[in-house]
Each structure stands twice: as structure tokens, then as C-alpha cells.
Amino acid sequence: MPDGPGRPGGSGAARGGRPAPWIPLPRTSVEDSGRPLPPLAELGEAAAPPPPREWEHPVLTSLLGAWALAACSAEETAAVEDHLGDCGPCADEARRLREAVGLLHRPESLDLDPGLRTRVLDSCLDRRPPRIPVPDWAGPYDAETARLDALLQDIRDSDWHTPVRLRWFEDEDMASRRTTVAGVIAHLLSVDGLVAVALGLDDPLGDHAGRAAGSPAARTEAYWGASHGPPTRAVRGPWREQSHDLVRTVAFAGSDRGTAMRPVSYGDFQLPLQDAMVDRAFECWVHAEDIAVAVDYPYAPPSPRDLHRMIDLAARTLPTVLAARRQAGLATPTQGRHLVPAGEPGRSLRLEIEGSGGGDWLIPLDSPAAKGSAEHEVAHIALDGVEFCRLAAGHVPPREAAAGRLGDATAIRDVLYATASLSRM
């Protein structure tokens, strides 16, 4: 067939004297041609999968350690696990290696149930009563100092210099002071010294006690100022020894009524020893939480029994604080209201504390000497137990407290602000 234009070797030329491009003709599928398909041998067969690898026993044994650590490839893992079903010695060795790897893993948490200590002690004391028991009113202080000491045992040396902000309610607003973990323990040591002095023990302020004027804030400032530098972890030893001495002393004093009612001076007010010990337990818990937040350490509230004692102390103190705020012009005056005689029922607010450690308290509103009365109830507040304690610690502004409210709005406001006024540095 003669060469034509557009075919290889053709003599034709496109315009301009250049050869025309060759355009291939359409291809016909072999299936449409009617001719037989070529054999597979000519087309080339797909590569067959390689035969399974033969794993020798020494190789599989050497892989057991990596298998226990989950460091084998998928192929190696399948080979080892298939081998363990047939080889007893390797299966025993694999089990031992897996158990050893479990010991290398860091425990998820070393924190115990906060109620475990109480349950263990109660169980032990039911079987063998203590020869020298700790009074019930000193139990919360014993428990909270032990919990805080366990926290201090767990933290790192560098954590002692972690910043901590102490918070309280003062002059109708939130106040705060920046310190460190060691500074918080120094604060607890100096204020617990008020109880130590009342019991005839050594004052941790030593020669600087005269500068403190008896108030918790002044004692703390005097202790901080007496040091040549910021407090360090060395303060844990004196604080721990003093807390043990306090518990030991009240335990040896026994259930003597005179000891329980011995006054403890806080400068501008006094508390009986049994209430002062609960007060110190409350502050120990509050500041332990401050430390726990600063160093990212889980910390639970006190046991329900101890929490109830703390709430009860705050509720019993509220009438006196209300009267003091009224005298200072910070609470609603009682003008036009009849003040009932001491011990008689009067206008009252029902304080309902929900959750563990909760209960109901009737707070006399117009006189600390009056008696709370359900018949004269004019308002009702309901709060969670931990929320109430944080309000009393000055960690929650009164206007932001998560409280259910019913009745006289003025009385409710006065009681919420009086609760926050219980706090101090």
C-alpha cells in the first residue's frame, strides 16, 4: 500500500512544507475481534504470595521480651503468639515477662479514699479501745493534720516554693495574700501556736511572740518577718511536731470538762479549747486545699463526721458575728423590732446544709442570746456542705454563693455576708 499523508514514511507534507503528525488509528479490543485470548503465560501471571516464614525456636524465644513490651511487629507478634500455644516453656516465660512489665508501669494513683483512715481506726478501736483516747472534739484536727502531712510527704522539693494565694473576706470584699507552700505551713504553725500557748506548750514564735499581739494575722506576719529568708521545707518538722504535741496533750488531759472549756485567745475574741481545735482543723483543711490546687494534687473534703463538726461550729458562731456586723453598721439594724429576752425564741433563719455532714440550724437574727425558733422563721437558705465551708473560708464571694433562698431577702443577705466574715488570713 503506498505511503500516504500522515503515515510513517509518507511523502505528503502539511502546509508550510512540514510533515503532517501521525495520528494512530483506533484500537480494537481483543474481546471484540472474535479471536481467542492469549494464554496467561504470555501475559505474565500475578506474583504469588511468598510462602510463610519458618521461625526457628531460638528466634521466637529471643522475641519474648519485645513481645511482653508490645514492641514486636505485627508479623512477629503473630508468630510469637502462635508459638506460645504449642510451647509450654515459652508460654511460662512469656507470662513471667508480662508480670514483670506490669511492675515497671507507674501506678495510676497512690491516693487513698479520704474516709479509709477513719474506717481503719474505727475498726481497730472497736476491737481494742485506746489506752489514752483522743477526745472527739480533737479528732478532726488529728485527721486533717495527718492528711496534710501525707500531702507534704508526696510533693517534690521544688514544690515547696510554688506560689500559693491565701484568700479571705475582709471589709466587704475579697482579700488575698501571696506566699508559698512553705509559707502556708509557717502560717499554720504560728496560728496553731495560739492553742499551744493555751495548753502551756512552747510558743513557736519564741522571742517574737510579743510582736504578734495575739491575732492570727499578726502572728503570721511576725513569724514570716523573723526569718532571714522565705520559709523552706524545713518548716514541716516544727509544724508536724507541734501538731502531734497538741493532740498528745489533749489526749492525756482526757475528757476533763475544764480542759475542753479552757479559753484560747485569738486576740479580739476567744474560743473554748474544744471549738478552737475544730477551728484549727477547718483551717488546716482549707489551706491544704490551697496547696493541693497550687501543686496539682487531688484532695478530698473531710469525712462527713468531721465536716459536720466544722459546719456546726460556724453555724453556732453566726449569731455573734451578725451582732458584731450590726454594731459596725454592716448589717441591717434592728430598729422597730422587739428584742426578745435571752433564751427566748425570736426571729430566725433556717440554714439547711445538704450533702455529707449536713443538717439544719435555726439562726437567731436579732440577738445572739435569743433562741432559734421554727415558729418565728422568716427566711430559709440551702447550701451544699462544702460550698458553705468555702463561703465561710472566704473562698466564695457571698453574692456568688450557690444557695437556694426563700423568704426575707435582707436576712438572707446578712447571714451570707456574716458567714463570709468568719474567714481570716
Side-chain angles (χ1 to χ4, degrees):
M1 181 162 108
D3 294 335
R7 297 184 63 84
S11 59
R15 282 183 261 197
R18 297 180 181 177
W22 173 65
I23 301 174
L25 296 175
R27 298 180 59 185
T28 302
S29 172
V30 69
E31 289 88 348
D32 298 333
S33 65
R35 290 178 293 180
L37 296 176
L40 291 177
E42 296 181 12
L43 297 176
E45 297 184 18
R53 178 178 174 181
E54 293 293 335
W55 297 86
E56 297 182 359
H57 185 272
V59 175
L60 293 169
T61 302
S62 68
L63 289 174
L64 291 179
W67 173 84
L69 292 168
C72 287
S73 67
E75 182 186 8
E76 292 169 339
T77 300
V80 170
E81 292 179 351
D82 183 63
H83 176 68
L84 295 180
D86 300 328
C87 181
C90 284
D92 292 339
E93 180 66 14
R95 178 180 54 81
R96 286 192 292 269
L97 289 173
R98 270 289 168 88
E99 292 174 353
V101 169
L103 296 176
L104 296 176
H105 289 177
R106 186 171 181 176
E108 293 295 329
S109 175
L110 295 177
D111 301 307
L112 300 177
D113 180 357
L116 178 61
R117 180 178 186 272
T118 300
R119 294 198 300 271
V120 171
L121 288 176
D122 287 346
S123 175
C124 294
L125 295 177
D126 285 343
R127 298 186 179 188
R128 180 180 295 178
R131 190 163 52 89
I132 305 175
V134 175
D136 289 343
W137 43 266
Y141 179 80
D142 185 26
E144 291 309 308
T145 52
R147 291 208 304 145
L148 174 54
D149 192 49
L151 184 160
L152 299 177
Q153 175 68 29
D154 283 352
I155 64 175
R156 301 166 299 181
D157 291 351
S158 59
D159 287 335
W160 283 86
H161 303 289
T162 301
V164 179
R165 187 165 292 278
L166 302 179
R167 296 170 292 162
W168 68 97
F169 187 77
E170 185 176 49
D171 298 330
E172 301 302 279
D173 203 355
M174 305 300 291
S176 66
R177 175 69 186 274
R178 183 186 172 101
T179 182
T180 63
V181 171
V184 174
I185 302 304
H187 167 59
L188 291 174
L189 171 67
S190 59
V191 183
D192 285 357
L194 293 170
V195 181
V197 171
L199 290 172
L201 303 175
D202 292 337
D203 192 332
L205 294 184
D207 298 336
H208 303 281
R211 296 164 44 192
S215 70
R219 287 179 63 85
T220 300
E221 296 291 352
Y223 190 93
W224 285 345
S227 304
H228 297 294
T232 66
R233 64 171 299 167
V235 74
R236 180 189 174 201
W239 169 79
R240 185 181 184 187
E241 182 178 357
Q242 178 178 259
S243 65
H244 288 176
D245 287 344
L246 292 178
V247 174
R248 188 182 303 112
T249 302
V250 298
F252 276 106
S255 57
D256 177 51
R257 181 68 176 169
T259 301
M261 298 306 295
R262 181 179 298 184
V264 177
S265 174
Y266 282 72
D268 53 353
F269 67 95
Q270 290 184 344
L271 288 176
L273 178 61
Q274 61 182 7
D275 287 346
M277 293 294 285
V278 176
D279 170 77
R280 302 315 307 144
F282 175 74
E283 187 165 358
C284 183
W285 164 46
V286 168
H287 290 321
E289 275 202 338
D290 292 336
I291 294 172
V293 169
V295 301
D296 194 21
Y297 187 98
Y299 208 77
S303 67
R305 181 175 59 185
D306 293 345
L307 191 63
H308 181 83
R309 283 186 175 272
M310 298 174 189
I311 295 171
D312 178 69
L313 174 61
R316 288 188 286 110
T317 309
L318 279 176
T320 303
V321 176
L322 272 171
R325 287 178 55 82
R326 189 174 292 116
Q327 291 177 357
L330 300 175
T332 307
T334 58
Q335 295 176 356
R337 298 194 181 111
H338 175 65
L339 296 181
V340 298
E344 294 295 322
R347 216 169 53 102
S348 304
L349 176 142
R350 180 179 296 277
L351 176 63
E352 179 184 353
I353 303 300
E354 302 170 337
S356 61
D360 282 9
W361 287 263
L362 287 168
I363 311 299
L365 296 172
D366 300 326
S367 171
K371 180 181 178 181
S373 168
E375 290 76 14
H376 296 79
E377 181 180 321
V378 298
H380 186 170
I381 300 177
L383 295 100
D384 174 73
V386 174
E387 178 78 359
F388 175 79
C389 288
R390 288 177 177 153
L391 175 63
H395 285 197
V396 177
R399 58 186 174 275
E400 297 178 11
R405 313 169 193 213
L406 180 66
D408 190 332
T410 302
I412 291 171
R413 180 191 181 279
D414 286 346
V415 169
L416 290 177
Y417 272 78
T419 303
S421 299
L422 293 169
S423 64
R424 57 181 179 272
M425 185 179 81

